[in-house]
Amino acid sequence: MRLTKFEHAALLLEQSGKKLFIDPGMFTTAITDAANTAAVVITHEHPDHWTPEQLRRILEASPTAVVYGPEGVVNAVREADASTAVTRVDPGDAVSAGPFSLRFSGGRHAVIHSSIPVVDNVGVLVNDVLYYPGDSWAVPEGVDVDVLAVPAGAPWLKIAEAIDYVLEVKPRRSFPTHEMVLSTAGKGMAGDRIRWATEQGGGEFFPLQPGDTLDL
């Protein structure tokens, strides 16, 4: 399985000629190469993780692709385009889409501020290899995480939380995601902290940039 990191929170997984997109949002370059997509996972409803335009482009190229998301995503997509169906998933659910097995965990977005509603959010474990928590610090239960996508910068995040999260999960490999809100210097600083935390558990950090790939 090959991972390609896009800008901000978007990821592409490819296996056996099929594609899985995760969180194609507004900070991600328009996705145009989406033929043979088996599924799209949207972890939560915020626009930096999905937009109607990104989703439409993917589904136009792959009309049979299945879209998965929590209840908040189901409602948001329905409001934007009633013709687009989203299969609701909740923490504890497990589904298969083409060559991809998907296990969901978490349930709620991290708190941004008391004045801002907390929305539904699911983390996703792909093929028992890659875990991406969305906008949360949810830890998948009973899983030794091989590859962890680590949020590096966000209004809801401080780097101490990212460090503690990586120390808790102890992934074999990690890379940064959710970092378009950071400057170049900020990305470097966050990456250094995530690298340190990963290495404490004997893992390896990969400072992936948009367009970079990693074979899983």
Side-chain angles (χ1 to χ4, degrees), residues 8-186:
H8 199 54
L11 305 175
L12 166 64
L13 287 306
E14 296 177 277
Q15 182 165 306
S16 302
K18 295 294 185 179
K19 298 175 181 176
L20 166 68
F21 286 97
I22 301 176
D23 283 0
M26 66 181 184
F27 295 142
T28 301
T29 300
I31 293 172
T32 56
D33 184 10
N36 300 313
T37 296
V40 182
V41 172
I42 302 172
T43 62
H44 64 284
E45 63 202 72
H46 290 161
D48 58 328
H49 291 257
W50 88 284
T51 67
E53 295 77 17
Q54 292 279 39
L55 188 57
R56 183 183 68 248
R57 281 187 286 264
I58 295 170
L59 295 179
E60 285 177 350
S62 297
T64 62
V66 183
V67 183
Y68 296 101
E71 183 177 9
V73 169
V74 173
N75 295 334
V77 173
R78 182 185 298 123
E79 290 177 8
D81 181 0
S83 66
T84 299
V86 177
T87 298
R88 174 177 167 173
V89 288
D90 297 299
D93 287 350
V95 300
S96 294
F100 304 104
S101 65
L102 308 173
R103 293 170 57 189
F104 298 93
S105 60
R108 302 295 282 170
H109 192 288
V111 174
I112 301 171
H113 186 262
S114 59
S115 65
I116 300 174
V118 176
V119 300
D120 296 324
N121 178 95
V122 290
V124 60
L125 179 70
V126 182
N127 288 357
D128 294 323
V129 174
L130 168 72
Y131 182 67
Y132 172 54
D135 282 10
S136 80
W137 302 121
V139 177
E141 295 183 2
V143 176
D144 291 327
V145 174
D146 186 346
V147 182
L148 178 65
V150 184
W156 51 270
L157 180 159
K158 62 181 180 181
I159 197 62
E161 295 171 322
I163 292 171
D164 287 342
Y165 184 62
V166 175
L167 290 173
E168 181 178 5
V169 176
K170 297 181 177 64
R172 298 181 184 92
R173 293 176 283 178
S174 72
F175 67 93
T177 187
H178 207 288
E179 78 282 60
M180 284 293 283
V181 296
L182 299 177
S183 67
T184 299

